[in-house]
Amino acid sequence: MSKTPLGKIPAAAIHLLDIPRYPKETIEAFLALGDLTGTVSDAMDELGLDGVVPASVLAPTLGERRIAGPALTLRNVEQRDQAYKGARERVSRMAEIEAHNLAETGDVLVIEGVVGISNMGGLSATIAQRQGEVGAVVDGGIRDIEQSRSIGFPLWSRGVSSVTGKWRLETVAVNGTVRICGKQVRPGDLVVADAGAVCFIPAEAVPQVLRRAQEIGEGEARRYADIAAGMPVAELARRTHVYKFDPQ
């Protein structure tokens, strides 16, 4: 697969860097967590990491899906020109195709976009799936969700809008640092998402977050077992079953 820019935006805006990718075992370990974003969010709190956006802000199109993968980032801004001028001249300045061109299997497309305008539609979702991307997170609007749902490609977004971004938005950077709902996301940071939230884990903190999330999950499983076994409420309140936390 070519990594050469397609010329849709200035080459200087495309960062052809080698973003971190994660071993298959790491991705599978996250996806095996019983409560994916719940335990990850708790672990990030304990580690002092601010990177969780609730599903009430970034809503999923396929609520039963959960994903984990490195962030492939893109930034859109509003065009200065009137949308009707672009529509008449058939000139689009959106270029998520540049991100799809850089994608590797397992990546998550993360778009800093514009609310109320579509930053990603059905064609883009279909290309993303073909390129091996496992999902997309959009701080802005999306459209054609019937198409993305029909092919099983999950998206998390600020909402659905049929107002096209083709004539209203401009892609200004690919594979650079973005801000998603106020959270900084760098290329290669690990994205985990499900029906409850989207979590952006800094690449260097992934091992610690995974270890602590597994500990929290094991502790909660033991509490559920105690509840099922009929343990009195007073005793349940005295037991946490969460291992002692050692940030080192």
Side-chain angles (χ1 to χ4, degrees):
M1 177 170 44
S2 172
K3 300 300 181 183
T4 303
L6 301 176
K8 298 297 183 180
I9 63 175
I14 303 174
H15 302 275
L16 296 175
L17 49 87
D18 292 326
I19 69 174
R21 262 85 183 194
Y22 301 92
K24 179 182 178 182
E25 294 77 16
T26 297
I27 299 300
E28 290 178 346
F30 273 100
L31 294 177
L33 292 169
D35 178 5
L36 177 56
T37 59
T39 52
V40 168
S41 177
D42 289 351
M44 292 179 70
D45 280 347
E46 292 183 4
L47 290 162
L49 300 172
D50 179 23
V52 181
V53 181
S56 57
V57 177
L58 290 175
T61 57
L62 294 170
E64 73 281 4
R65 293 292 297 276
R66 47 170 50 196
I67 63 170
L72 175 63
T73 63
L74 179 143
R75 181 169 176 251
N76 287 333
V77 299
E78 286 194 73
Q79 288 191 33
R80 294 181 180 178
D81 294 340
Q82 288 188 346
Y84 310 109
K85 180 177 182 292
R88 286 194 305 268
E89 297 175 358
R90 309 300 294 175
V91 175
S92 174
R93 295 178 183 170
M94 289 182 67
E96 70 270 25
I97 194 70
E98 296 280 9
H100 298 322
N101 185 49
L102 299 178
E104 294 189 9
T105 299
D107 286 352
V108 179
L109 180 60
V110 177
I111 299 176
E112 178 184 340
V114 179
V115 176
I117 299 173
S118 174
N119 294 258
M120 187 172 185
L123 287 172
S124 185
T126 304
I127 294 170
Q129 186 184 64
R130 192 200 69 180
Q131 296 297 95
E133 297 163 52
V134 295
V137 177
V138 183
D139 187 356
I142 59 173
R143 73 177 197 173
D144 306 331
I145 60 172
E146 295 87 355
Q147 169 63 18
S148 58
R149 281 173 173 161
S150 73
I151 62 174
F153 186 79
L155 298 100
W156 285 256
S157 76
R158 289 267 199 167
V160 179
S161 172
S162 291
V163 178
T164 183
K166 285 185 292 187
W167 327 123
R168 296 173 173 83
L169 301 178
E170 178 179 1
T171 300
V172 295
V174 175
N175 240 11
T177 299
V178 296
R179 294 195 70 82
I180 304 297
C181 304
K183 314 300 183 183
Q184 178 177 281
V185 183
R186 300 167 302 173
D189 286 348
L190 186 67
V191 183
V192 298
D194 61 13
V198 179
C199 304
F200 302 107
I201 308 172
E204 66 275 8
V206 166
Q208 282 182 294
V209 171
L210 175 58
R211 176 170 61 86
R212 185 55 185 154
Q214 289 173 325
E215 291 174 351
I216 292 170
E218 289 167 2
E220 290 197 347
R222 290 167 66 166
R223 296 200 74 183
Y224 279 118
D226 287 344
I227 294 169
M231 180 177 288
V233 172
E235 181 63 20
L236 289 172
R238 285 193 291 269
R239 296 194 181 189
T240 63
H241 292 310
V242 179
Y243 301 156
K244 180 181 179 181
F245 177 49
D246 179 3
Q248 300 302 317

